[in-house]
Amino acid sequence: MSSDAATPDRTRKPTTARFSTDDVAEHRRAAYWSDALTRVFGGVEVPVADEGCRGTVQASLLGLVQVVTVEGAPMAMNRPAQPAGSRHDGCLMVMSLFDGSAVVTQGGQVTPVRPGETVFYDSARPMRIDFTSAFRVACLIFPRTLIGLPDTHLRRVLGAPISRCAPSASLLWPLLAGLGETVPKLPPGSGEVLLRHVVGLLSVVAEEPLPEDHPSSPASQDLLSRIKSYIDQRLGDPALSLASIARAHHISLRYLHKLFESEDTTASRWIQRRRLQRCRHELARQESATLTISSVARQSGFSSAAHFSRAFRRAYGMSPAEWREKVLRESEPVQTRKTATGTAERGTRMPLLSALSLRRPPGPAAA
């Protein structure tokens, strides 16, 4: 949920309206029902006949959030494009289906919705909902800025049914089921606080991986491979962070952690391991023998030499200096010398400093 949302008004009560076809004569029910849904959802078309028309809708508006519960007989509800600046422009609609069945069409995407599923929709775009049997739903309509998720992530979940069996949705579903009746009864201020927490929970639900986003799926493994390549190309950047990685790949931090769980590690540990591996390789290169250990650490993204040394020792059982000395000593050129009998003997290594001096270009003669 957006951290800059307005402070709830502790004195504000919800504005609640209830419409039921049971309150009007049968020959007026179709017009009454259509008018009621238009008042609540704004600009909808409900082509129903008087005969068999039945339904009840209750809407509570509290602050920036509208809570709507609807139950009725089979029907179709068509909502054409809304003009800019209309009541629901820039809003999201979240619908949870409790009973019946529905088919939602928006932007060419046709989504069957079953009982126990929750769906996110763009309230400003044309949409059609066909309730193919007697139904009961709860809807929340609120500005998309309240949910605090980037548009790239919201587009990923729009129109994708989320089962109430999903971890966070299992908490959300019973809340939505009783919200319509609960909110009007709450004391001033409490309802708005509750709704803001519900919207916050919706943001958690929206961030959870969809079925095709499961870490073991081919699509997720391909994404993980691209993320690893992205990290390797930026290991030397001390500003590389989990947030910047998630943002660059249009995923949430929660999902980034989930991807690396399939590797039995965390994203942070994987980055540190890759940095240590790069440093270890660089320290073993003779071409880097004149570089300080701190310089090698900085080139691989470590901002603290002390932290680097501790991490290196934990990973490899020796300090960076000990590792460098070991590999350079083992790579020193072998010197041939003569024994007392005058025969050649190989296998004596030149001292480390002598080996390094051989690689140093000649300087000016000593004074």
Side-chain angles (χ1 to χ4, degrees):
M1 188 164 55
S2 175
S3 60
D4 60 353
T7 304
D9 185 346
R10 300 288 179 178
T11 64
R12 180 160 43 193
K13 285 188 174 183
T15 302
T16 301
R18 185 178 182 277
F19 307 92
S20 175
T21 56
D22 294 340
D23 298 334
V24 298
E26 186 171 347
H27 70 281
R28 296 184 53 240
R29 285 180 178 175
Y32 175 87
W33 186 233
S34 179
D35 180 64
L37 293 175
T38 298
R39 289 189 186 188
V40 172
F41 291 103
V44 296
E45 302 167 353
V46 187
V48 293
D50 288 326
E51 185 179 353
C53 177
R54 180 187 62 80
T56 300
V57 56
Q58 178 171 297
S60 296
L61 179 63
L62 187 53
L64 300 174
V65 184
Q66 184 178 15
V67 183
V68 183
T69 56
V70 189
E71 58 179 308
M75 70 170 194
M77 185 170 70
N78 185 54
R79 193 166 186 272
Q82 301 297 297
S86 62
R87 179 157 54 102
H88 291 157
D89 185 28
C91 288
L92 292 176
M93 183 175 88
V94 178
M95 183 183 80
S96 286
L97 182 65
F98 303 114
D99 298 307
S101 58
V103 178
V104 184
T105 305
Q106 185 173 64
Q109 181 177 357
V110 180
T111 306
V113 186
R114 298 171 298 181
E117 292 183 333
T118 299
V119 194
F120 288 72
Y121 289 102
D122 187 343
S123 186
R125 296 169 58 202
M127 176 174 59
R128 177 184 173 92
I129 307 178
D130 290 278
F131 294 101
T132 55
S133 61
F135 68 94
R136 181 169 64 95
V137 298
C139 302
L140 259 67
I141 304 171
F142 53 89
R144 62 197 308 149
T145 53
L146 273 188
I147 202 168
L149 294 176
D151 286 345
T152 51
H153 191 80
L154 282 175
R155 283 196 295 269
R156 175 179 153 272
V157 297
L158 288 176
I162 300 170
S163 170
R164 65 173 171 176
C165 297
S168 299
S170 64
L171 300 174
L172 175 70
W173 206 74
L175 272 176
L176 293 177
L179 207 56
E181 293 298 326
T182 302
V183 168
K185 300 175 183 177
L186 294 173
S190 299
E192 191 168 356
V193 172
L194 173 62
L195 288 180
R196 287 173 181 267
H197 285 302
V198 171
V199 173
L201 181 55
L202 282 170
S203 70
V204 176
V205 171
E207 286 184 308
E208 288 187 343
L210 300 174
E212 62 270 23
D213 291 333
H214 192 277
S216 62
S217 71
S220 294
Q221 288 302 304
D222 178 67
L223 174 60
L224 180 59
S225 177
R226 285 187 279 115
I227 289 173
K228 287 179 176 180
S229 177
Y230 177 90
I231 291 171
D232 278 346
Q233 293 168 13
R234 293 162 177 80
L235 283 177
D237 182 3
L240 180 70
S241 66
L242 301 188
S244 67
I245 295 168
R247 187 165 54 250
H249 293 84
H250 311 301
I251 60 175
S252 67
L253 278 173
R254 183 176 288 104
Y255 187 45
L256 178 65
H257 290 306
K258 198 74 175 175
L259 287 171
F260 278 92
E261 281 180 15
S262 66
E263 302 277 298
D264 197 26
T265 188
T266 66
S268 297
R269 287 175 184 166
W270 196 88
I271 293 171
Q272 177 167 284
R273 185 167 70 238
R274 294 296 294 153
R275 282 175 165 160
L276 287 171
Q277 288 171 347
R278 174 176 287 189
C279 289
R280 188 171 186 260
H281 173 75
E282 192 64 26
L283 289 169
R285 295 176 67 241
Q286 292 187 5
E287 293 83 352
S288 302
T290 57
L291 293 176
T292 66
I293 290 174
S294 295
S295 296
V296 172
R298 283 196 302 271
Q299 289 177 2
S300 293
F302 285 99
S303 57
S304 166
H307 168 66
F308 163 64
S309 294
R310 288 193 298 270
F312 193 97
R313 184 179 288 278
R314 281 197 303 269
Y316 303 116
M318 63 180 71
S319 71
E322 291 168 340
W323 165 250
R324 167 180 266 179
E325 183 176 354
K326 176 178 182 295
V327 295
L328 288 181
R329 185 173 61 248
E330 292 174 353
S331 64
E332 289 169 8
V334 176
Q335 183 184 37
T336 301
R337 65 181 178 86
K338 290 187 177 182
T339 65
T341 61
T343 57
E345 180 183 276
R346 297 183 59 81
T348 303
R349 296 190 178 275
M350 298 175 62
L352 176 62
L353 291 178
S354 298
L356 290 178
S357 66
L358 288 177
R359 291 193 294 273
R360 188 179 300 117

